[in-house]
């Protein structure tokens, strides 16, 4: 029987706006998922290390500061280097819609622009977690 989905949420770099990611964390907890919230001002290395140490099923990044393309690329590269690229990475926040195809091309598994309904977050992260547990 698969275990409860375990999701790591973090904010990379200098972005200090965390109200949205805290709300998402609560939505996921209410849906029965375990959430590891690293908080704001995390390095890409710290995010990847925590994901590996915590044995998470999904990494969720929140961005409101505009550095999402750089941080996403670094985190995906570090996951590959560490042999942990089985962990899907998703990204949400205030993002330019024209960046979504580029994020997906990098390997981001889902993008959640501001205003995405709670049910959509929960459903997609649950699917990704279940898939990751099966690998």
């Amino acid at each position: 029987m698969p275990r409860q989905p375990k999701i790591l949420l973090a904010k990379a770099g200098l972005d200090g706006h965390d109200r949205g990611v805290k709300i998402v964390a609560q939505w996921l907890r209410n849906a029965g998922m375990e959430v590891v919230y690293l908080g704001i001002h995390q390095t890409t290395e710290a995010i990847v290390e925590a994901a590996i140490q915590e044995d998470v099923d999904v990494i969720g990044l929140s961005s409101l500061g505009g550095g999402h393309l750089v941080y996403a690329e670094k985190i995906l590269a570090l996951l590959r280097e560490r042999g942990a690229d089985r962990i899907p990475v998703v990204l949400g926040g205030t993002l330019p819609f024209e960046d979504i195809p580029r994020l997906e091309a990098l390997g981001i598994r889902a993008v959640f622009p501001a205003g995405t309904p709670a049910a959509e977050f929960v459903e997609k992260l649950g699917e990704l977690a279940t898939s990751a547990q099966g690998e």
Side-chain angles (χ1 to χ4, degrees), residues 15 24 31 33 39 42-43 46 48 53 81 85 109-110 116 128:
D15 184 355
V24 170
M33 298 182 197
Q42 298 298 312
T43 65
V48 169
Q53 292 300 318
E81 287 174 21
D85 52 344
R109 299 286 297 277
T116 300
L128 289 169

Side-chain angles (χ1 to χ4, degrees), residues 5-7 33 56-60 86-91 107-112 120-135:
K6 191 171 188 179
I7 314 298
M33 298 182 197
V56 300
D57 300 310
V58 178
I59 296 171
R86 64 148 188 88
I87 304 171
V89 179
V90 302
L91 195 139
I108 295 296
R109 299 286 297 277
V111 178
F112 302 102
E120 190 174 325
F121 273 103
V122 170
E123 181 180 352
K124 185 63 178 177
L125 270 65
E127 288 171 7
L128 289 169
T130 300
S131 177
Q133 288 177 5
E135 291 181 4

Side-chain angles (χ1 to χ4, degrees), residues 48-110:
V48 169
E49 183 62 29
I52 292 167
Q53 292 300 318
E54 292 283 345
D55 191 27
V56 300
D57 300 310
V58 178
I59 296 171
L61 303 174
S62 171
S63 180
L64 290 139
H68 51 279
L69 291 168
V70 172
Y71 296 127
E73 188 170 16
K74 287 182 180 180
I75 287 169
L76 292 165
L78 286 168
L79 287 169
R80 281 190 300 276
E81 287 174 21
R82 298 286 308 272
D85 52 344
R86 64 148 188 88
I87 304 171
V89 179
V90 302
L91 195 139
T94 304
L95 311 163
F97 284 100
E98 58 269 14
D99 287 352
I100 293 173
R102 195 159 158 208
L103 289 162
E104 291 170 340
L106 287 172
I108 295 296
R109 299 286 297 277

